[in-house]
Amino acid sequence: MYNIAVIPGDGTGPEVVREGLKVLDAISGLSGFKLNYVHYDLGGDRYQRSGEVLPDGVLSELRGFDAIYLGAIGHPDVKPGILEKGLLLRLRFELDQYINLRPVKLYQGVDTPLKDKKPEDIDFVVIRENTEGQYVGAGGFLRKGTPDEIAIQESISTRKGVDRCLRYAYLCAKKRNKAKKVTLCGKTNVLTYTFDLWERAFHEIGQKEFPDITRDYAHVDATVMWMVKNPEWFDVIVTENMFGDIITDLGAMIQGGMGIAAGGNINPEGVSMFEPIGGSAPKYTGQNVVNPLAAIGAAAMMLEIIGEAEAALRIEKAIEFVCANKLKSMAAGKMGYTTAQVGDLVTKNL
Ligand code: IPM
Ligand code: MN
């Protein structure tokens, strides 16, 4: 029995989470484990109603779960930053989910905008550091609102934070057992403090602890170029928070779009949180047209991390089958099925 906190959140979050839970219920029945859900009403609507974003009492309850399943955060009527920082980033930081795990995998039958690239060419994982960098919110204004205004946004990297992220990336390459290669994505030619630390740690840890894993380096601007031109060169990419944020949206596009891209905010020693990486999609909300496969894929990742790898694999296989044989497109409104019907299709093919 696993206790799962469910945060459907904003926009299309509730619609896709409903399909994820449908699939989870089915697979737990088939596999012989139980999932016990507790739903939390968090997000833009609650904030507008009550002014509450993430009450401390809720946060301390969340620490007690086996995992958190999240739909989407972001509301068109709430000023940008309030929910993102107050809810999503606060959860990542407070629960010390220091890895953002974002697989980029093109399934058979899914269209990629990259000409001539096939599923065997697009299959890598981005390990994004998830608790440091510019995301920590260090900085401030000086003389705000005057012509002499100064805005500072600092990027923080700690040896401990970098080390644990790199180790996770090496372990991931080892576990995947494919090209056994980790590419550090950085900017050593300009960010000469941050990436000096990253690069030193990368080679020290790699050399000492993972001698059989190939080490590779690419500047972030080159990384996005190769992701488009030669995605087959990548096995595991490891990078800092902001670069990881940016390159994984490109990753989502080359694997077929936001409708299929899943991610996990992982604390290997604590409570992890799983989400489709696309946003709340306000313009599609309530229409039963968005693709729930990213949310279903996030549910599969959740099972894998909590220790139900076989069930996770069955969900992934069902997603692959549905992509290859059923859906006309991954895009909202163009799938040939409703959101709920896609959830049913995956459930039927477990
Ligand atoms: C993501 C999102 C978040 C991020 C936002 C909503 C704060 O873009 O999960 O990639 O920047 O990490
Ligand atoms: Mn992002």
Side-chain angles (χ1 to χ4, degrees):
M1 157 95 101
Y2 302 95
N3 293 313
I4 308 294
V6 181
I7 306 175
D10 297 319
T12 51
E15 295 165 50
V16 296
V17 157
R18 198 175 302 132
E19 301 315 307
L21 295 178
K22 187 190 276 178
V23 173
L24 284 170
D25 282 338
I27 196 70
S28 57
L30 292 168
S31 305
F33 59 87
K34 277 209 172 67
L35 296 168
N36 174 38
Y37 310 116
V38 179
H39 283 255
Y40 284 90
D41 169 25
L42 295 168
D45 290 336
R46 173 154 177 188
Y47 173 69
Q48 287 195 306
R49 233 174 29 239
S50 68
E52 290 173 314
V53 179
L54 177 59
D56 291 340
V58 172
L59 176 62
S60 58
E61 277 179 46
L62 291 173
R63 293 183 195 280
F65 284 88
D66 293 301
I68 302 169
Y69 186 45
L70 172 70
I73 298 297
H75 195 291
D77 304 330
V78 177
K79 189 181 165 214
I82 293 177
L83 300 169
E84 291 85 348
K85 286 175 84 170
L87 189 49
L88 184 61
L89 298 184
R90 185 153 176 243
L91 284 171
R92 289 177 181 170
F93 291 155
E94 295 268 6
L95 300 174
D96 203 19
Q97 294 162 344
Y98 59 87
I99 298 298
N100 198 321
L101 179 63
R102 296 187 163 179
V104 178
K105 186 169 179 176
L106 178 66
Y107 290 126
Q108 207 65 249
V110 174
D111 277 339
T112 174
L114 301 187
K115 188 168 165 284
D116 298 335
K117 295 298 176 188
K118 310 238 147 18
E120 57 270 28
D121 300 317
I122 303 177
D123 181 5
F124 60 92
V125 175
V126 178
I127 307 290
R128 165 187 175 190
E129 201 292 322
N130 210 31
T131 53
E132 300 193 337
Q134 295 179 74
Y135 277 77
V136 297
F141 294 109
L142 215 54
R143 300 190 278 271
K144 188 175 181 184
T146 75
D148 297 322
E149 177 163 354
I150 299 173
I152 297 174
Q153 194 96 43
E154 288 172 314
S155 168
I156 309 287
S157 299
T158 68
R159 180 71 205 230
K160 179 183 142 193
V162 170
D163 280 4
R164 65 186 185 175
C165 180
L166 291 168
R167 281 203 177 87
Y168 194 92
Y170 281 121
L171 283 170
C172 178
K174 193 168 162 176
K175 210 172 143 201
R176 277 167 64 80
N177 201 21
K178 293 190 171 161
K180 290 199 172 182
K181 175 163 106 176
V182 178
T183 304
L184 172 63
C185 161
K187 191 75 187 172
T188 51
N189 51 352
V190 175
L191 305 180
T192 51
Y193 308 123
T194 300
F195 281 101
D196 188 277
L197 168 56
W198 273 88
E199 202 179 29
R200 264 182 292 125
F202 180 62
H203 290 298
E204 276 174 32
I205 293 172
Q207 206 163 32
K208 268 197 217 119
E209 300 172 33
F210 302 93
D212 54 334
I213 307 286
T214 305
R215 277 168 276 138
D216 186 21
Y217 173 82
H219 292 320
V220 62
D221 44 353
T223 303
V224 290
M225 177 176 80
W226 300 129
M227 279 173 71
V228 170
K229 196 167 173 292
N230 295 96
E232 67 278 6
W233 286 355
F234 296 116
D235 179 18
V236 173
I237 298 177
V238 64
T239 193
E240 67 90 41
N241 209 341
M242 182 66 81
F243 288 175
D245 176 48
I246 297 167
I247 72 171
T248 52
D249 268 27
L250 176 58
M253 285 303 122
I254 68 173
Q255 74 179 120
M258 286 301 182
I260 185 85
N265 303 275
I266 316 272
N267 177 343
E269 299 88 34
V271 184
S272 300
M273 176 167 76
F274 301 85
E275 53 174 337
I277 83 170
S280 52
K283 77 173 186 191
Y284 295 121
T285 300
Q287 295 174 33
N288 201 20
V289 296
V290 290
N291 190 341
L293 288 179
I296 297 170
M301 276 175 96
M302 175 169 81
L303 292 186
E304 153 115 50
I305 299 281
I306 64 177
E308 295 293 341
E310 202 193 306
L313 194 66
R314 282 177 75 168
I315 297 178
E316 208 197 331
K317 292 276 168 235
I319 292 174
E320 276 190 270
F321 177 84
V322 168
C323 286
N325 300 294
K326 303 286 179 184
L327 262 55
K328 285 206 213 102
S329 159
M330 294 296 121
K334 298 180 181 154
M335 301 184 291
Y337 299 92
T338 64
T339 304
Q341 284 173 330
V342 175
D344 291 339
L345 281 170
V346 175
T347 304
K348 235 179 63 191
N349 288 287
L350 286 170

